[in-house]
Amino acid sequence: MAIAADVKANQKENVSPNGMEVLMDLVSDDLKAVNALIMKHMQSNVVLIPQLAGHLIAAGGKRLRPLLTLASSRLCGYQGDRHFGLAACIEFIHTATLLHDDVVDESDLRRGRDTANAIFGNKPSVLVGDFLFSRAFQLMSRDSSLEVIRILSDASAIIAEGEVQQLMTTNDLETNREAYLEVISGKTAILFAASCRLGAVVAERPKVEEEALENYGQYLGIAFQLVDDILDYSAKQAALGKTVGDDFREGKMTLPIILAYERANDEEKVFWTRVIEKLDQSDGDLDTALTLLAKHNALEDSMTTAREYVTKAISALDIFPDSIEKSALIGAVEFSIERDF
Amino acid sequence: MAIAADVKANQKENVSPNGMEVLMDLVSDDLKAVNALIMKHMQSNVVLIPQLAGHLIAAGGKRLRPLLTLASSRLCGYQGDRHFGLAACIEFIHTATLLHDDVVDESDLRRGRDTANAIFGNKPSVLVGDFLFSRAFQLMSRDSSLEVIRILSDASAIIAEGEVQQLMTTNDLETNREAYLEVISGKTAILFAASCRLGAVVAERPKVEEEALENYGQYLGIAFQLVDDILDYSAKQAALGKTVGDDFREGKMTLPIILAYERANDEEKVFWTRVIEKLDQSDGDLDTALTLLAKHNALEDSMTTAREYVTKAISALDIFPDSIEKSALIGAVEFSIERDF
């Protein structure tokens, strides 16, 4: 119960008053049901499992994907309760990917974040991720259909492919915008897309609505990740006391870096090669990087790309008549680019 | 094709002429079909995925679990081809657990083995494991039933629990035989049990046959893991040029150590506390451990336990009339304790 209360507090704290409020208000009772299922099904007799899973699940989760499933189901007029279990499964899959994403290699720089991994170590994080992932499919095999399992296992495979592709593009300055968009479509957007699509699936709506919600989720996910990658270099983050430059220290090829490198002069290319490709960084390099990003409008132009996806996401909802649910989903999109965390 | 040929060569090399020959001969054509599916479905446009997965899948896999599914299906008189895909899914799940089991923490001692992890690093190993795991559920959601997905997602959750429990018992000398048997039932035996049970499921045989095959697989799996844990301290391994003492160096609480500690005098307890609990080991400690295992008959007595499970496994097949399939499954059990690798 204490954990559930913390979740609530965290959510309230983290949510922008503009964009997300309609969505949060709309499904707040449904979200309680989902949170109860999450707490129930992450239990295990092996005590380290709920302990470690709880660390991540209870801490600051925005429950964005479950919220999308809940709102999409309502948009499609769904009256049952299958979407609660599905939303919990989606959060388990998401949590598993977070746990696995935090796995580090000995050569990696320790990140400042208070990850489950930093506390419990690589191996428990991996295994608890596996547990949550398996648990999701256990629940689906009892409460859902083969179609739902198809959608979420497809999404999971694409997430893994996106994550591996991201590893392959890290430290590679030849990575272009297309490769970057492919990576974030896989590692982030596909689960947003599935979260939304499942609303139409449980409501047994026509394919065209399923696809509209899938597109909405896909574009929203891309915008969301773009903003994430921009915020990593943003003064807003610094003002909030958050770490700036995590991606820089790993040599991740996100859109701001791709744009700055495309527009770099010879001297700047030497700099990027040293810090991103060779990962040979010292004090002051992050400041230099920030200066170059500003010089070439890399953050603003990345934001323009994010806004293009925001427009596409909102347009995808055109086939649905106006409703409070539709406004809530549009609000979520606006939140994705207005947020400063 | 080169990979498939290597697999074949490796399998031939590794198989004991006594125990496994009947099983291998019985399903050799079926196994070719399974291997073809494995090679086909581990492909991805993200080249690192087949590269890394192939490293493990092509190298020395005995395909024991697929063999069990194939033989169990035949024992149940199954005439279709659904078991090929299922056997491939089981091998993907098994490979994913191997990849995740090889993840190391910075504090861990590097093991001598040529793991995918040692070559590619923690993170790619984790992500490719996730891909194979997702791929297994993708395939099942297309070619199988909710019942099959239920069985294999249950098994996967139990594997993860067993692995986490193993982490919790590592370096803990209070671990007793019951806790150890619980760990290996989870981390190893459950997938053997599922592999066998699915033979009866695809053949749509009565529950009693499903349970008989499940029990057979469970007992076989326990015997198999017991022998694995005994071989880690065995001169047979050393004679084959394999590493001895991997478990010792990690402070894993396997049955030989549990028995030796139960029977230890005060001086020996001080030794075990230092090397297993504190993991404070130096040259000569493994030799001391081997001497103490011999003094207390710890390996022989562990082998006796393994033989008890072998007997149980064979008895579980009593409800089936004699047949070449039944002989093959009995051969697999005998192989599990006769093998020296």
Side-chain angles (χ1 to χ4, degrees):
Chain A
M1 285 318 250
I3 291 179
D6 282 347
V7 173
K8 195 72 194 284
N10 262 306
Q11 279 158 355
K12 285 281 175 212
E13 206 172 76
N14 278 350
V15 162
S16 147
N18 335 334
M20 287 288 279
E21 223 167 37
V22 187
L23 179 56
M24 292 289 295
D25 282 352
L26 181 69
V27 296
S28 66
D29 285 342
D30 295 355
L31 189 62
K32 279 181 201 150
V34 174
N35 278 332
L37 286 177
I38 287 173
M39 294 305 156
K40 178 179 168 192
H41 292 300
M42 73 177 209
Q43 297 310 315
S44 162
N45 290 331
V46 180
V47 293
L48 184 57
I49 290 177
Q51 203 178 336
L52 195 157
H55 177 81
L56 206 66
I57 284 177
K62 291 185 288 293
R63 300 278 195 274
L64 195 46
R65 294 154 196 82
L67 284 171
L68 291 171
T69 301
L70 295 173
S72 299
S73 303
R74 276 184 180 245
L75 180 77
C76 292
Y78 181 62
Q79 302 283 341
D81 58 8
R82 279 179 61 204
H83 58 328
F84 297 154
L86 282 185
C89 289
I90 287 169
E91 191 69 4
F92 280 166
I93 292 173
H94 171 59
T95 307
T97 65
L98 287 183
L99 283 167
H100 288 185
D101 195 39
D102 279 335
V103 166
V104 290
D105 280 294
E106 287 174 55
S107 60
D108 284 347
L109 296 158
R110 271 273 173 225
R111 280 171 289 175
R113 278 185 288 156
D114 178 29
T115 60
N117 175 285
I119 299 168
F120 298 96
N122 277 334
K123 201 141 185 184
S125 298
V126 171
L127 297 173
V128 173
D130 289 348
F131 174 81
L132 293 175
F133 199 69
S134 305
R135 180 52 49 97
F137 284 92
Q138 275 187 295
L139 295 173
M140 283 184 258
S141 70
R142 280 161 179 88
D143 301 331
S144 291
S145 63
L146 284 170
E147 190 187 358
V148 165
I149 296 176
R150 216 169 285 147
I151 291 169
L152 285 177
S153 59
D154 286 355
S156 302
I158 292 168
I159 292 170
E161 288 183 316
E163 296 264 11
V164 174
Q165 215 181 334
Q166 176 172 269
L167 286 183
M168 293 170 69
T169 61
T170 298
N171 311 120
D172 180 2
L173 284 168
E174 297 306 307
T175 307
N176 59 23
R177 168 198 283 259
E178 286 65 42
Y180 165 77
L181 287 172
E182 217 176 290
V183 165
I184 68 173
S185 291
K187 73 164 193 163
T188 307
I190 189 74
L191 197 57
F192 280 75
S195 302
C196 297
R197 179 178 173 188
L198 288 176
V201 172
V202 289
E204 298 176 359
R205 301 296 305 161
K207 274 282 165 213
V208 60
E209 294 188 18
E210 215 181 283
E211 280 166 20
L213 280 167
E214 187 180 14
N215 288 333
Y216 161 82
Q218 187 75 28
Y219 296 137
L220 167 60
I222 292 174
F224 189 88
Q225 187 61 54
L226 269 162
V227 173
D228 233 43
D229 293 344
I230 293 162
L231 285 172
D232 197 63
Y233 292 100
S234 152
K236 283 187 189 174
Q237 292 258 52
L240 286 167
K242 297 199 176 185
T243 332
V244 171
D246 281 342
D247 293 344
F248 178 75
R249 279 181 287 274
E250 292 180 34
K252 251 188 210 168
M253 288 300 290
T254 59
L255 191 56
I257 300 295
I258 291 169
L259 295 180
Y261 183 70
E262 270 175 16
R263 299 164 186 180
N265 62 30
D266 286 351
E267 191 191 342
E268 290 164 16
K269 284 194 170 157
V270 171
F271 168 78
W272 290 118
T273 304
R274 174 172 63 78
V275 296
I276 297 293
E277 284 210 347
K278 300 182 182 156
L279 220 60
D280 169 11
Q281 302 181 359
S282 47
D283 285 355
D285 284 339
L286 178 59
D287 286 338
T288 305
L290 292 171
T291 306
L292 294 178
L293 292 174
K295 172 183 171 191
H296 294 297
N297 282 316
L299 297 181
E300 290 78 354
D301 289 352
S302 299
M303 206 60 201
T304 303
T305 303
R307 276 193 212 95
E308 284 164 19
Y309 282 97
V310 158
T311 306
K312 286 185 182 193
I314 294 173
S315 303
L317 297 177
D318 280 350
I319 65 158
F320 296 100
D322 286 346
S323 66
I324 175 107
E325 289 82 9
K326 186 168 163 176
S327 303
L329 289 172
I330 291 171
V333 177
E334 285 162 355
F335 160 79
S336 79
I337 56 163
E338 283 160 8
R339 73 207 171 94
D340 44 18
F341 59 91
Chain B
M1 286 316 252
I3 291 177
D6 282 346
V7 174
K8 194 71 197 283
N10 262 306
Q11 278 160 356
K12 284 281 176 213
E13 205 173 77
N14 278 349
V15 161
S16 147
N18 334 332
M20 288 286 279
E21 225 166 35
V22 187
L23 179 56
M24 293 288 295
D25 282 352
L26 181 70
V27 296
S28 65
D29 285 343
D30 295 355
L31 189 61
K32 279 181 203 152
V34 174
N35 278 331
L37 287 177
I38 287 174
M39 295 303 156
K40 178 179 167 192
H41 292 299
M42 73 177 209
Q43 296 310 315
S44 162
N45 290 332
V46 181
V47 292
L48 184 58
I49 290 178
Q51 202 178 336
L52 196 156
H55 177 80
L56 206 66
I57 284 177
K62 289 186 289 292
R63 300 279 196 274
L64 196 46
R65 294 153 196 81
L67 284 171
L68 292 172
T69 302
L70 296 173
S72 300
S73 302
R74 277 184 179 243
L75 180 76
C76 292
Y78 181 61
Q79 303 282 340
D81 58 9
R82 280 179 61 204
H83 58 328
F84 298 153
L86 283 184
C89 288
I90 288 169
E91 191 69 4
F92 281 165
I93 292 173
H94 171 58
T95 306
T97 65
L98 287 183
L99 283 167
H100 288 186
D101 194 39
D102 279 336
V103 166
V104 291
D105 280 294
E106 286 173 57
S107 60
D108 285 347
L109 296 159
R110 271 273 174 223
R111 280 171 290 175
R113 279 185 288 156
D114 178 30
T115 60
N117 175 287
I119 299 168
F120 298 96
N122 277 334
K123 202 142 183 183
S125 298
V126 170
L127 297 173
V128 173
D130 289 348
F131 173 81
L132 292 176
F133 199 68
S134 305
R135 180 52 51 94
F137 284 92
Q138 276 187 294
L139 295 173
M140 284 184 258
S141 70
R142 279 160 180 90
D143 301 331
S144 289
S145 63
L146 284 171
E147 190 187 359
V148 165
I149 296 175
R150 217 168 285 145
I151 291 170
L152 284 178
S153 58
D154 286 354
S156 302
I158 292 169
I159 292 170
E161 289 184 315
E163 296 264 11
V164 174
Q165 215 181 334
Q166 175 172 270
L167 285 183
M168 293 170 70
T169 62
T170 297
N171 311 121
D172 179 2
L173 284 168
E174 297 305 308
T175 307
N176 60 22
R177 167 198 285 259
E178 286 64 41
Y180 165 76
L181 288 172
E182 216 176 291
V183 165
I184 67 173
S185 291
K187 74 164 192 163
T188 307
I190 190 74
L191 196 56
F192 279 75
S195 302
C196 298
R197 179 178 173 188
L198 288 176
V201 172
V202 288
E204 298 177 359
R205 300 298 304 162
K207 275 282 165 214
V208 59
E209 292 188 17
E210 216 181 282
E211 281 166 20
L213 279 168
E214 187 180 13
N215 288 333
Y216 161 82
Q218 188 74 26
Y219 296 137
L220 166 61
I222 293 174
F224 189 87
Q225 187 61 54
L226 269 162
V227 172
D228 234 42
D229 294 344
I230 293 161
L231 284 173
D232 198 63
Y233 292 101
S234 151
K236 283 187 189 174
Q237 292 258 53
L240 286 167
K242 297 198 176 184
T243 332
V244 171
D246 280 342
D247 293 343
F248 178 75
R249 278 181 288 273
E250 291 180 36
K252 251 189 212 168
M253 288 300 290
T254 58
L255 191 55
I257 301 297
I258 291 169
L259 295 179
Y261 184 70
E262 270 175 16
R263 298 164 187 179
N265 62 31
D266 286 351
E267 191 190 342
E268 290 164 13
K269 285 195 168 155
V270 171
F271 169 78
W272 290 118
T273 303
R274 174 171 64 77
V275 296
I276 297 293
E277 284 211 345
K278 300 182 183 155
L279 219 61
D280 170 11
Q281 302 181 358
S282 46
D283 285 355
D285 283 340
L286 177 58
D287 286 338
T288 306
L290 292 171
T291 306
L292 294 177
L293 292 174
K295 173 184 170 191
H296 294 297
N297 283 315
L299 297 182
E300 290 78 355
D301 289 352
S302 298
M303 208 60 201
T304 303
T305 302
R307 276 192 211 97
E308 285 164 18
Y309 282 97
V310 158
T311 306
K312 285 185 183 194
I314 295 174
S315 303
L317 297 177
D318 279 350
I319 64 158
F320 296 100
D322 285 346
S323 66
I324 175 104
E325 289 82 9
K326 186 168 164 177
S327 302
L329 289 173
I330 291 171
V333 178
E334 284 162 356
F335 161 78
S336 78
I337 55 163
E338 282 160 9
R339 74 206 169 94
D340 44 19
F341 61 90

